[in-house]
Amino acid sequence: MTTTLATDRGAHTATPVLPTAEARLTLRPLPTGDARITGGFWALRQQRNGRDAIRGAHALLEAAGNFRNLRIAAGLEEGEAVGPVFMDSDVTKWLEAVAWEYGRAPSDDLLALQREVTALYAQAQADDGYLDSVQQIRGKGERYTDLKWSHEMYCAGHLYQAAVAQHRATGDDALLQVAIRNADHLVRTFGDGTAPDGTPKTRDVDGHPVVEMGLVELYRETGTRAYLDLAHWFVDARGHGIIERAGGEPTYFSDRVPTRQATTVEGHAVRAVYLAAGAVDVAIETGDTELLAASERQFADMMATKAFITGGLGARWDWEAFGDPYELPTDRGYAETCAAIGGVQWAWRLLLATGKPAYADAIERLLYNAFLAGVSLGGTEYFYVNPLQQRDHAHQDENRSPAHGRRGWFDCACCPPNIMRTFASLDGYLATATDGGLQVHQYATASLGVVEVETGYPHDGRVRITVTEDGPLALGLRIPAWSDTTTVTGPDGPASQASPSAGTLHVIDREWSAGDTVELTFDTTPHRYVADARIDAARGQVAIERGPLVYAVEQADQQGFTVDDLTVDPAAPITEEHRDDLLDGVVTLRVPGHAPAEHVQPAWPYRRLDGPGGTDRAGEATSVDDVAGSDDRAPRLPAGSPVTATAVPYYAWANRGAAPMRVWLPLAR
């Protein structure tokens, strides 16, 4: 059996991350065409993404003015630029999605869209390679005068990623040529040393990282070492006062501490994780072990102190930022969808670099909970923000608030095309290869090189893997950290049965015959989780997980009580019900608890725990204090009646309207 790393079998499903042969890696992505989702949970989401979201986004980008900006910059129309300064990046993320989708399911209409918009980019590009339509129109010839906010290189980074996707998935190099001209312009302009005209290069960095990832991938596609060197320079330039001297707040821009000295992530969440992913790209291509170790340290601290139980990243609405350690509010948590996508990109690169299963576990949590919650089941409506609680009668003026329900587009539309490109490229995140080995990290019905996978995952914990070729193979299977007991049965039946430990990579290294099967059974028993005591917002509460899915209690499924009033029993059995008729098919959980028949609003919402008198909503004896010095006592809440709450996977909430919801459930005492 052969598991080569560079064989094109004629398919075009390709990975967004394709390290060079010289890169310092433990694992490598599967070769182009070897990974393809063929059915089940993710196939349905990909189908809707390609059929409805990607194709429909062309009209949305036209309506929002993104294409018109490019036409004005190209001299095809006259007028003023509209929208945020980073409007071009929405187009290139969409172009990347178009390319990956064409690779999955080639069609003439996608190819026509790709060529139309690519030609527009080429027309808008300046003679020296510069390209940013909004700045070209508004700046009237000025460039890079306010990089902390202008997003000029941020737009360039997304351009490079789209160009690489187009070249890998469709074979077309038109956008790649645009990207090369722009990258050559950046190389001439930024870094140490002198420009071709003899003047010093500009020592500056973009306020929003992503150009680092883009430059490294462009280096991988073209072999031009200058792109990698510039990415390395941008990563190491952080934390030396460049942005602060330009008037920027260094923490927000991930510029307070040098990248290789940082111990955690801070500031704007998307900026931070994009920078971290780019740093890993640089580290594995240059063999920079110090930089890689720093990134591992930062990722570990993020997951230990700054990630929601969903994997969501970014605690604060203010500046879309990470908060302090353990600052993870439930109802005002931000958890931007783009931050989840950046977290997946970072974890994937760390998985390739180190081979550690913990990074695959993190990808799974981020994908199923933090990322997937950001898009409707239909694939065309979105959340920008993903809190873990929505209160009754919630009202928010912000366009991006979940209180308004899912939206078809945003004034700041970074998330929708980001979601589109992630779905379209998801095949590439399932498995990796080594010489003589194949490692399955994410379980989906799929074709992965020399194996076929069948599963009802994530709702069903059973996975069947069939080997399709004769020969030796070291087959690695990730055993999720959440599975208390796992059974792996090899082709020899009970004689080859194993019970590997959770959180490991179980390897079966043997001579295989075509048709041999391996069956995995994961333990999907629902469990209650409590938060670290330092996470104040979740004290005295539990969250429920089943398999890889975090669950939520949503008002649409409850009768006779409101979600805001619910308390749950800490140890009562949780029962499951398979509902093929609900939310595209889910397993619901029945959770025993208490709630009053109607909501009671006391005159004063605080009560004493010591002293005589009173009962709380759970029926326990308590006392109430005098109200404002009066002899009148505050109303006593009626004892809560036993109820059974229904919980659904968090990713599926708000598909029946924006209604009260909570992940963390107060305990009945």
Side-chain angles (χ1 to χ4, degrees), residues 58-59 61-62 67-68 70-71 74 76 91 94-95 98 108-124 166 172 174-175:
H58 183 271
L61 290 163
E62 183 66 73
F67 295 145
R68 184 168 184 270
L70 287 163
R71 289 194 292 268
L76 303 175
V91 179
W94 172 77
L95 274 175
V98 169
D108 291 341
D109 67 316
L110 283 179
L111 197 60
L113 291 175
Q114 172 182 294
R115 289 174 174 170
E116 169 200 323
V117 179
T118 296
L120 186 55
Y121 262 96
Q123 290 172 288
Q166 193 175 110
D172 194 330
L175 194 62

PDB file of all heavy atoms in Angstrom, residues 58-59 61-62 67-68 70-71 74 76 91 94-95 98 108-124 166 172 174-175:
ATOM      1  N   HIS A  58     -22.897  36.439  -4.315  1.00  0.00           N
ATOM      2  CA  HIS A  58     -22.518  37.331  -5.410  1.00  0.00           C
ATOM      3  C   HIS A  58     -23.460  38.533  -5.454  1.00  0.00           C
ATOM      4  O   HIS A  58     -23.016  39.693  -5.558  1.00  0.00           O
ATOM      5  CB  HIS A  58     -22.541  36.581  -6.740  1.00  0.00           C
ATOM      6  CG  HIS A  58     -22.084  37.403  -7.903  1.00  0.00           C
ATOM      7  ND1 HIS A  58     -22.952  38.178  -8.646  1.00  0.00           N
ATOM      8  CD2 HIS A  58     -20.854  37.595  -8.449  1.00  0.00           C
ATOM      9  CE1 HIS A  58     -22.287  38.803  -9.599  1.00  0.00           C
ATOM     10  NE2 HIS A  58     -21.011  38.469  -9.510  1.00  0.00           N
ATOM     11  N   ALA A  59     -24.749  38.291  -5.355  1.00  0.00           N
ATOM     12  CA  ALA A  59     -25.723  39.385  -5.367  1.00  0.00           C
ATOM     13  C   ALA A  59     -25.596  40.251  -4.122  1.00  0.00           C
ATOM     14  O   ALA A  59     -25.779  41.478  -4.181  1.00  0.00           O
ATOM     15  CB  ALA A  59     -27.140  38.821  -5.484  1.00  0.00           C
ATOM     16  N   LEU A  61     -22.838  40.846  -2.357  1.00  0.00           N
ATOM     17  CA  LEU A  61     -21.646  41.675  -2.514  1.00  0.00           C
ATOM     18  C   LEU A  61     -21.895  42.810  -3.499  1.00  0.00           C
ATOM     19  O   LEU A  61     -21.371  43.929  -3.327  1.00  0.00           O
ATOM     20  CB  LEU A  61     -20.470  40.815  -2.967  1.00  0.00           C
ATOM     21  CG  LEU A  61     -19.911  39.848  -1.920  1.00  0.00           C
ATOM     22  CD1 LEU A  61     -19.045  38.775  -2.575  1.00  0.00           C
ATOM     23  CD2 LEU A  61     -19.107  40.596  -0.860  1.00  0.00           C
ATOM     24  N   GLU A  62     -22.682  42.543  -4.509  1.00  0.00           N
ATOM     25  CA  GLU A  62     -23.048  43.611  -5.453  1.00  0.00           C
ATOM     26  C   GLU A  62     -23.898  44.661  -4.754  1.00  0.00           C
ATOM     27  O   GLU A  62     -23.654  45.877  -4.873  1.00  0.00           O
ATOM     28  CB  GLU A  62     -23.791  43.015  -6.644  1.00  0.00           C
ATOM     29  CG  GLU A  62     -24.152  44.022  -7.723  1.00  0.00           C
ATOM     30  CD  GLU A  62     -22.932  44.608  -8.409  1.00  0.00           C
ATOM     31  OE1 GLU A  62     -22.299  43.882  -9.198  1.00  0.00           O
ATOM     32  OE2 GLU A  62     -22.610  45.796  -8.144  1.00  0.00           O
ATOM     33  N   PHE A  67     -18.292  45.151  -5.180  1.00  0.00           N
ATOM     34  CA  PHE A  67     -17.859  45.087  -6.576  1.00  0.00           C
ATOM     35  C   PHE A  67     -17.774  46.481  -7.196  1.00  0.00           C
ATOM     36  O   PHE A  67     -16.890  46.766  -8.005  1.00  0.00           O
ATOM     37  CB  PHE A  67     -18.811  44.207  -7.396  1.00  0.00           C
ATOM     38  CG  PHE A  67     -18.822  42.761  -7.000  1.00  0.00           C
ATOM     39  CD1 PHE A  67     -19.994  42.017  -7.067  1.00  0.00           C
ATOM     40  CD2 PHE A  67     -17.667  42.127  -6.557  1.00  0.00           C
ATOM     41  CE1 PHE A  67     -20.007  40.674  -6.714  1.00  0.00           C
ATOM     42  CE2 PHE A  67     -17.674  40.791  -6.202  1.00  0.00           C
ATOM     43  CZ  PHE A  67     -18.840  40.065  -6.266  1.00  0.00           C
ATOM     44  N   ARG A  68     -18.678  47.343  -6.821  1.00  0.00           N
ATOM     45  CA  ARG A  68     -18.656  48.701  -7.379  1.00  0.00           C
ATOM     46  C   ARG A  68     -17.372  49.425  -6.974  1.00  0.00           C
ATOM     47  O   ARG A  68     -16.794  50.175  -7.771  1.00  0.00           O
ATOM     48  CB  ARG A  68     -19.881  49.489  -6.925  1.00  0.00           C
ATOM     49  CG  ARG A  68     -19.964  50.883  -7.561  1.00  0.00           C
ATOM     50  CD  ARG A  68     -21.321  51.523  -7.315  1.00  0.00           C
ATOM     51  NE  ARG A  68     -21.394  52.808  -8.005  1.00  0.00           N
ATOM     52  CZ  ARG A  68     -21.030  53.970  -7.452  1.00  0.00           C
ATOM     53  NH1 ARG A  68     -20.573  54.000  -6.204  1.00  0.00           N
ATOM     54  NH2 ARG A  68     -21.119  55.099  -8.142  1.00  0.00           N
ATOM     55  N   LEU A  70     -14.494  48.118  -6.599  1.00  0.00           N
ATOM     56  CA  LEU A  70     -13.458  47.623  -7.503  1.00  0.00           C
ATOM     57  C   LEU A  70     -13.609  48.222  -8.898  1.00  0.00           C
ATOM     58  O   LEU A  70     -12.613  48.565  -9.547  1.00  0.00           O
ATOM     59  CB  LEU A  70     -13.508  46.094  -7.570  1.00  0.00           C
ATOM     60  CG  LEU A  70     -12.989  45.360  -6.328  1.00  0.00           C
ATOM     61  CD1 LEU A  70     -13.455  43.917  -6.330  1.00  0.00           C
ATOM     62  CD2 LEU A  70     -11.474  45.433  -6.236  1.00  0.00           C
ATOM     63  N   ARG A  71     -14.852  48.362  -9.351  1.00  0.00           N
ATOM     64  CA  ARG A  71     -15.054  48.957 -10.673  1.00  0.00           C
ATOM     65  C   ARG A  71     -14.612  50.423 -10.699  1.00  0.00           C
ATOM     66  O   ARG A  71     -14.046  50.889 -11.700  1.00  0.00           O
ATOM     67  CB  ARG A  71     -16.524  48.816 -11.089  1.00  0.00           C
ATOM     68  CG  ARG A  71     -16.934  47.385 -11.426  1.00  0.00           C
ATOM     69  CD  ARG A  71     -18.264  47.333 -12.155  1.00  0.00           C
ATOM     70  NE  ARG A  71     -19.381  47.726 -11.310  1.00  0.00           N
ATOM     71  CZ  ARG A  71     -20.117  46.877 -10.590  1.00  0.00           C
ATOM     72  NH1 ARG A  71     -19.837  45.578 -10.585  1.00  0.00           N
ATOM     73  NH2 ARG A  71     -21.117  47.312  -9.867  1.00  0.00           N
ATOM     74  N   ALA A  74     -10.935  50.540 -10.832  1.00  0.00           N
ATOM     75  CA  ALA A  74     -10.468  50.122 -12.159  1.00  0.00           C
ATOM     76  C   ALA A  74     -10.755  51.166 -13.232  1.00  0.00           C
ATOM     77  O   ALA A  74     -10.338  50.994 -14.389  1.00  0.00           O
ATOM     78  CB  ALA A  74     -11.128  48.797 -12.540  1.00  0.00           C
ATOM     79  N   LEU A  76     -13.759  51.877 -14.313  1.00  0.00           N
ATOM     80  CA  LEU A  76     -14.917  51.457 -15.088  1.00  0.00           C
ATOM     81  C   LEU A  76     -16.174  52.226 -14.708  1.00  0.00           C
ATOM     82  O   LEU A  76     -17.141  52.249 -15.463  1.00  0.00           O
ATOM     83  CB  LEU A  76     -15.159  49.956 -14.897  1.00  0.00           C
ATOM     84  CG  LEU A  76     -13.984  49.045 -15.267  1.00  0.00           C
ATOM     85  CD1 LEU A  76     -14.307  47.594 -14.913  1.00  0.00           C
ATOM     86  CD2 LEU A  76     -13.649  49.181 -16.753  1.00  0.00           C
ATOM     87  N   VAL A  91     -14.727  40.173  -0.541  1.00  0.00           N
ATOM     88  CA  VAL A  91     -14.756  39.605  -1.884  1.00  0.00           C
ATOM     89  C   VAL A  91     -13.759  38.459  -2.007  1.00  0.00           C
ATOM     90  O   VAL A  91     -14.070  37.400  -2.571  1.00  0.00           O
ATOM     91  CB  VAL A  91     -14.458  40.687  -2.941  1.00  0.00           C
ATOM     92  CG1 VAL A  91     -14.471  40.074  -4.336  1.00  0.00           C
ATOM     93  CG2 VAL A  91     -15.470  41.821  -2.860  1.00  0.00           C
ATOM     94  N   TRP A  94     -14.820  35.363  -0.288  1.00  0.00           N
ATOM     95  CA  TRP A  94     -15.836  34.712  -1.118  1.00  0.00           C
ATOM     96  C   TRP A  94     -15.196  34.027  -2.328  1.00  0.00           C
ATOM     97  O   TRP A  94     -15.564  32.902  -2.678  1.00  0.00           O
ATOM     98  CB  TRP A  94     -16.865  35.750  -1.565  1.00  0.00           C
ATOM     99  CG  TRP A  94     -17.835  35.231  -2.568  1.00  0.00           C
ATOM    100  CD1 TRP A  94     -18.909  34.420  -2.337  1.00  0.00           C
ATOM    101  CD2 TRP A  94     -17.811  35.475  -3.975  1.00  0.00           C
ATOM    102  NE1 TRP A  94     -19.566  34.139  -3.518  1.00  0.00           N
ATOM    103  CE2 TRP A  94     -18.906  34.783  -4.546  1.00  0.00           C
ATOM    104  CE3 TRP A  94     -16.981  36.210  -4.814  1.00  0.00           C
ATOM    105  CZ2 TRP A  94     -19.188  34.801  -5.906  1.00  0.00           C
ATOM    106  CZ3 TRP A  94     -17.249  36.245  -6.178  1.00  0.00           C
ATOM    107  CH2 TRP A  94     -18.342  35.545  -6.710  1.00  0.00           C
ATOM    108  N   LEU A  95     -14.230  34.686  -2.961  1.00  0.00           N
ATOM    109  CA  LEU A  95     -13.530  34.050  -4.084  1.00  0.00           C
ATOM    110  C   LEU A  95     -12.826  32.766  -3.645  1.00  0.00           C
ATOM    111  O   LEU A  95     -12.786  31.787  -4.395  1.00  0.00           O
ATOM    112  CB  LEU A  95     -12.514  35.015  -4.690  1.00  0.00           C
ATOM    113  CG  LEU A  95     -13.004  35.979  -5.758  1.00  0.00           C
ATOM    114  CD1 LEU A  95     -11.884  36.925  -6.155  1.00  0.00           C
ATOM    115  CD2 LEU A  95     -13.532  35.233  -6.985  1.00  0.00           C
ATOM    116  N   VAL A  98     -15.479  30.198  -3.464  1.00  0.00           N
ATOM    117  CA  VAL A  98     -15.843  29.773  -4.811  1.00  0.00           C
ATOM    118  C   VAL A  98     -14.844  28.742  -5.331  1.00  0.00           C
ATOM    119  O   VAL A  98     -15.220  27.715  -5.920  1.00  0.00           O
ATOM    120  CB  VAL A  98     -15.919  30.984  -5.764  1.00  0.00           C
ATOM    121  CG1 VAL A  98     -16.039  30.526  -7.216  1.00  0.00           C
ATOM    122  CG2 VAL A  98     -17.100  31.874  -5.400  1.00  0.00           C
ATOM    123  N   ASP A 108     -20.042  25.195 -14.368  1.00  0.00           N
ATOM    124  CA  ASP A 108     -19.757  26.318 -15.253  1.00  0.00           C
ATOM    125  C   ASP A 108     -20.112  27.649 -14.621  1.00  0.00           C
ATOM    126  O   ASP A 108     -19.425  28.648 -14.841  1.00  0.00           O
ATOM    127  CB  ASP A 108     -20.520  26.156 -16.574  1.00  0.00           C
ATOM    128  CG  ASP A 108     -19.982  25.006 -17.419  1.00  0.00           C
ATOM    129  OD1 ASP A 108     -18.833  24.578 -17.166  1.00  0.00           O
ATOM    130  OD2 ASP A 108     -20.708  24.530 -18.313  1.00  0.00           O
ATOM    131  N   ASP A 109     -21.188  27.693 -13.818  1.00  0.00           N
ATOM    132  CA  ASP A 109     -21.597  28.985 -13.259  1.00  0.00           C
ATOM    133  C   ASP A 109     -20.594  29.486 -12.222  1.00  0.00           C
ATOM    134  O   ASP A 109     -20.293  30.680 -12.159  1.00  0.00           O
ATOM    135  CB  ASP A 109     -23.005  28.911 -12.672  1.00  0.00           C
ATOM    136  CG  ASP A 109     -23.091  28.025 -11.441  1.00  0.00           C
ATOM    137  OD1 ASP A 109     -22.517  26.916 -11.451  1.00  0.00           O
ATOM    138  OD2 ASP A 109     -23.754  28.438 -10.468  1.00  0.00           O
ATOM    139  N   LEU A 110     -20.034  28.570 -11.418  1.00  0.00           N
ATOM    140  CA  LEU A 110     -19.009  28.982 -10.467  1.00  0.00           C
ATOM    141  C   LEU A 110     -17.761  29.477 -11.191  1.00  0.00           C
ATOM    142  O   LEU A 110     -17.150  30.475 -10.797  1.00  0.00           O
ATOM    143  CB  LEU A 110     -18.643  27.826  -9.533  1.00  0.00           C
ATOM    144  CG  LEU A 110     -19.613  27.507  -8.404  1.00  0.00           C
ATOM    145  CD1 LEU A 110     -19.102  26.314  -7.600  1.00  0.00           C
ATOM    146  CD2 LEU A 110     -19.822  28.704  -7.480  1.00  0.00           C
ATOM    147  N   LEU A 111     -17.392  28.780 -12.224  1.00  0.00           N
ATOM    148  CA  LEU A 111     -16.211  29.188 -12.979  1.00  0.00           C
ATOM    149  C   LEU A 111     -16.418  30.566 -13.609  1.00  0.00           C
ATOM    150  O   LEU A 111     -15.506  31.401 -13.626  1.00  0.00           O
ATOM    151  CB  LEU A 111     -15.898  28.156 -14.055  1.00  0.00           C
ATOM    152  CG  LEU A 111     -14.494  28.212 -14.666  1.00  0.00           C
ATOM    153  CD1 LEU A 111     -13.425  28.015 -13.606  1.00  0.00           C
ATOM    154  CD2 LEU A 111     -14.358  27.158 -15.762  1.00  0.00           C
ATOM    155  N   ALA A 112     -17.619  30.812 -14.085  1.00  0.00           N
ATOM    156  CA  ALA A 112     -17.909  32.116 -14.686  1.00  0.00           C
ATOM    157  C   ALA A 112     -17.838  33.230 -13.637  1.00  0.00           C
ATOM    158  O   ALA A 112     -17.298  34.311 -13.908  1.00  0.00           O
ATOM    159  CB  ALA A 112     -19.290  32.088 -15.344  1.00  0.00           C
ATOM    160  N   LEU A 113     -18.381  32.982 -12.452  1.00  0.00           N
ATOM    161  CA  LEU A 113     -18.303  33.973 -11.380  1.00  0.00           C
ATOM    162  C   LEU A 113     -16.853  34.245 -11.007  1.00  0.00           C
ATOM    163  O   LEU A 113     -16.443  35.398 -10.815  1.00  0.00           O
ATOM    164  CB  LEU A 113     -19.083  33.483 -10.160  1.00  0.00           C
ATOM    165  CG  LEU A 113     -20.602  33.414 -10.274  1.00  0.00           C
ATOM    166  CD1 LEU A 113     -21.193  32.793  -9.016  1.00  0.00           C
ATOM    167  CD2 LEU A 113     -21.201  34.786 -10.520  1.00  0.00           C
ATOM    168  N   GLN A 114     -16.077  33.176 -10.866  1.00  0.00           N
ATOM    169  CA  GLN A 114     -14.666  33.323 -10.510  1.00  0.00           C
ATOM    170  C   GLN A 114     -13.931  34.180 -11.532  1.00  0.00           C
ATOM    171  O   GLN A 114     -13.179  35.099 -11.179  1.00  0.00           O
ATOM    172  CB  GLN A 114     -14.017  31.945 -10.424  1.00  0.00           C
ATOM    173  CG  GLN A 114     -12.504  31.974 -10.241  1.00  0.00           C
ATOM    174  CD  GLN A 114     -11.929  30.580 -10.203  1.00  0.00           C
ATOM    175  OE1 GLN A 114     -12.208  29.825  -9.282  1.00  0.00           O
ATOM    176  NE2 GLN A 114     -11.122  30.216 -11.193  1.00  0.00           N
ATOM    177  N   ARG A 115     -14.128  33.902 -12.802  1.00  0.00           N
ATOM    178  CA  ARG A 115     -13.399  34.618 -13.846  1.00  0.00           C
ATOM    179  C   ARG A 115     -13.837  36.074 -13.945  1.00  0.00           C
ATOM    180  O   ARG A 115     -13.019  36.973 -14.164  1.00  0.00           O
ATOM    181  CB  ARG A 115     -13.579  33.895 -15.179  1.00  0.00           C
ATOM    182  CG  ARG A 115     -12.825  32.579 -15.227  1.00  0.00           C
ATOM    183  CD  ARG A 115     -13.116  31.773 -16.479  1.00  0.00           C
ATOM    184  NE  ARG A 115     -12.270  30.585 -16.542  1.00  0.00           N
ATOM    185  CZ  ARG A 115     -12.423  29.598 -17.415  1.00  0.00           C
ATOM    186  NH1 ARG A 115     -13.409  29.655 -18.309  1.00  0.00           N
ATOM    187  NH2 ARG A 115     -11.609  28.553 -17.403  1.00  0.00           N
ATOM    188  N   GLU A 116     -15.121  36.308 -13.758  1.00  0.00           N
ATOM    189  CA  GLU A 116     -15.638  37.677 -13.812  1.00  0.00           C
ATOM    190  C   GLU A 116     -14.996  38.550 -12.738  1.00  0.00           C
ATOM    191  O   GLU A 116     -14.495  39.650 -13.020  1.00  0.00           O
ATOM    192  CB  GLU A 116     -17.158  37.657 -13.625  1.00  0.00           C
ATOM    193  CG  GLU A 116     -17.790  39.028 -13.398  1.00  0.00           C
ATOM    194  CD  GLU A 116     -19.154  38.932 -12.743  1.00  0.00           C
ATOM    195  OE1 GLU A 116     -19.903  37.987 -13.063  1.00  0.00           O
ATOM    196  OE2 GLU A 116     -19.462  39.794 -11.902  1.00  0.00           O
ATOM    197  N   VAL A 117     -14.994  38.072 -11.494  1.00  0.00           N
ATOM    198  CA  VAL A 117     -14.491  38.895 -10.394  1.00  0.00           C
ATOM    199  C   VAL A 117     -12.969  38.944 -10.400  1.00  0.00           C
ATOM    200  O   VAL A 117     -12.371  39.972 -10.064  1.00  0.00           O
ATOM    201  CB  VAL A 117     -15.045  38.374  -9.052  1.00  0.00           C
ATOM    202  CG1 VAL A 117     -14.513  39.211  -7.898  1.00  0.00           C
ATOM    203  CG2 VAL A 117     -16.568  38.401  -9.068  1.00  0.00           C
ATOM    204  N   THR A 118     -12.324  37.878 -10.808  1.00  0.00           N
ATOM    205  CA  THR A 118     -10.865  37.888 -10.921  1.00  0.00           C
ATOM    206  C   THR A 118     -10.412  38.926 -11.945  1.00  0.00           C
ATOM    207  O   THR A 118      -9.448  39.669 -11.716  1.00  0.00           O
ATOM    208  CB  THR A 118     -10.349  36.496 -11.306  1.00  0.00           C
ATOM    209  OG1 THR A 118     -10.650  35.575 -10.258  1.00  0.00           O
ATOM    210  CG2 THR A 118      -8.843  36.518 -11.534  1.00  0.00           C
ATOM    211  N   ALA A 119     -11.108  38.986 -13.056  1.00  0.00           N
ATOM    212  CA  ALA A 119     -10.767  39.983 -14.074  1.00  0.00           C
ATOM    213  C   ALA A 119     -10.932  41.391 -13.528  1.00  0.00           C
ATOM    214  O   ALA A 119     -10.133  42.297 -13.836  1.00  0.00           O
ATOM    215  CB  ALA A 119     -11.638  39.792 -15.309  1.00  0.00           C
ATOM    216  N   LEU A 120     -11.934  41.601 -12.691  1.00  0.00           N
ATOM    217  CA  LEU A 120     -12.150  42.907 -12.083  1.00  0.00           C
ATOM    218  C   LEU A 120     -10.986  43.278 -11.162  1.00  0.00           C
ATOM    219  O   LEU A 120     -10.534  44.428 -11.145  1.00  0.00           O
ATOM    220  CB  LEU A 120     -13.473  42.888 -11.318  1.00  0.00           C
ATOM    221  CG  LEU A 120     -13.971  44.209 -10.726  1.00  0.00           C
ATOM    222  CD1 LEU A 120     -14.072  45.282 -11.793  1.00  0.00           C
ATOM    223  CD2 LEU A 120     -15.322  43.983 -10.053  1.00  0.00           C
ATOM    224  N   TYR A 121     -10.486  42.305 -10.414  1.00  0.00           N
ATOM    225  CA  TYR A 121      -9.316  42.560  -9.565  1.00  0.00           C
ATOM    226  C   TYR A 121      -8.108  42.962 -10.403  1.00  0.00           C
ATOM    227  O   TYR A 121      -7.368  43.895 -10.059  1.00  0.00           O
ATOM    228  CB  TYR A 121      -8.988  41.328  -8.715  1.00  0.00           C
ATOM    229  CG  TYR A 121      -9.547  41.418  -7.320  1.00  0.00           C
ATOM    230  CD1 TYR A 121     -10.768  40.839  -6.998  1.00  0.00           C
ATOM    231  CD2 TYR A 121      -8.874  42.117  -6.340  1.00  0.00           C
ATOM    232  CE1 TYR A 121     -11.297  40.952  -5.734  1.00  0.00           C
ATOM    233  CE2 TYR A 121      -9.397  42.230  -5.058  1.00  0.00           C
ATOM    234  CZ  TYR A 121     -10.604  41.651  -4.760  1.00  0.00           C
ATOM    235  OH  TYR A 121     -11.125  41.781  -3.511  1.00  0.00           O
ATOM    236  N   ALA A 122      -7.881  42.246 -11.473  1.00  0.00           N
ATOM    237  CA  ALA A 122      -6.736  42.564 -12.320  1.00  0.00           C
ATOM    238  C   ALA A 122      -6.848  43.971 -12.897  1.00  0.00           C
ATOM    239  O   ALA A 122      -5.848  44.703 -13.008  1.00  0.00           O
ATOM    240  CB  ALA A 122      -6.623  41.536 -13.443  1.00  0.00           C
ATOM    241  N   GLN A 123      -8.061  44.396 -13.248  1.00  0.00           N
ATOM    242  CA  GLN A 123      -8.251  45.741 -13.794  1.00  0.00           C
ATOM    243  C   GLN A 123      -8.055  46.812 -12.733  1.00  0.00           C
ATOM    244  O   GLN A 123      -7.605  47.926 -13.044  1.00  0.00           O
ATOM    245  CB  GLN A 123      -9.652  45.855 -14.402  1.00  0.00           C
ATOM    246  CG  GLN A 123      -9.846  45.047 -15.674  1.00  0.00           C
ATOM    247  CD  GLN A 123     -11.293  45.051 -16.122  1.00  0.00           C
ATOM    248  OE1 GLN A 123     -12.165  44.429 -15.512  1.00  0.00           O
ATOM    249  NE2 GLN A 123     -11.565  45.771 -17.204  1.00  0.00           N
ATOM    250  N   ALA A 124      -8.414  46.504 -11.481  1.00  0.00           N
ATOM    251  CA  ALA A 124      -8.299  47.500 -10.415  1.00  0.00           C
ATOM    252  C   ALA A 124      -6.868  47.662  -9.906  1.00  0.00           C
ATOM    253  O   ALA A 124      -6.552  48.665  -9.259  1.00  0.00           O
ATOM    254  CB  ALA A 124      -9.220  47.109  -9.256  1.00  0.00           C
ATOM    255  N   GLN A 166      -7.617  29.311  -5.622  1.00  0.00           N
ATOM    256  CA  GLN A 166      -8.021  29.241  -7.019  1.00  0.00           C
ATOM    257  C   GLN A 166      -7.046  28.405  -7.840  1.00  0.00           C
ATOM    258  O   GLN A 166      -7.447  27.584  -8.669  1.00  0.00           O
ATOM    259  CB  GLN A 166      -8.110  30.663  -7.579  1.00  0.00           C
ATOM    260  CG  GLN A 166      -8.802  30.767  -8.908  1.00  0.00           C
ATOM    261  CD  GLN A 166      -8.962  32.211  -9.328  1.00  0.00           C
ATOM    262  OE1 GLN A 166      -8.304  32.655 -10.268  1.00  0.00           O
ATOM    263  NE2 GLN A 166      -9.821  32.958  -8.641  1.00  0.00           N
ATOM    264  N   ASP A 172      -6.498  27.603 -12.341  1.00  0.00           N
ATOM    265  CA  ASP A 172      -6.451  28.941 -12.944  1.00  0.00           C
ATOM    266  C   ASP A 172      -5.423  29.786 -12.191  1.00  0.00           C
ATOM    267  O   ASP A 172      -5.441  29.838 -10.964  1.00  0.00           O
ATOM    268  CB  ASP A 172      -7.841  29.569 -12.847  1.00  0.00           C
ATOM    269  CG  ASP A 172      -7.992  30.793 -13.730  1.00  0.00           C
ATOM    270  OD1 ASP A 172      -6.977  31.477 -13.963  1.00  0.00           O
ATOM    271  OD2 ASP A 172      -9.121  31.070 -14.170  1.00  0.00           O
ATOM    272  N   ALA A 174      -4.957  33.199 -12.881  1.00  0.00           N
ATOM    273  CA  ALA A 174      -5.205  34.623 -13.122  1.00  0.00           C
ATOM    274  C   ALA A 174      -5.121  35.429 -11.830  1.00  0.00           C
ATOM    275  O   ALA A 174      -4.453  36.477 -11.781  1.00  0.00           O
ATOM    276  CB  ALA A 174      -6.570  34.817 -13.784  1.00  0.00           C
ATOM    277  N   LEU A 175      -5.779  34.969 -10.775  1.00  0.00           N
ATOM    278  CA  LEU A 175      -5.717  35.696  -9.507  1.00  0.00           C
ATOM    279  C   LEU A 175      -4.342  35.528  -8.862  1.00  0.00           C
ATOM    280  O   LEU A 175      -3.870  36.425  -8.154  1.00  0.00           O
ATOM    281  CB  LEU A 175      -6.820  35.216  -8.562  1.00  0.00           C
ATOM    282  CG  LEU A 175      -7.084  36.112  -7.341  1.00  0.00           C
ATOM    283  CD1 LEU A 175      -7.540  37.499  -7.769  1.00  0.00           C
ATOM    284  CD2 LEU A 175      -8.131  35.478  -6.423  1.00  0.00           C
TER     285      LEU A 175
END
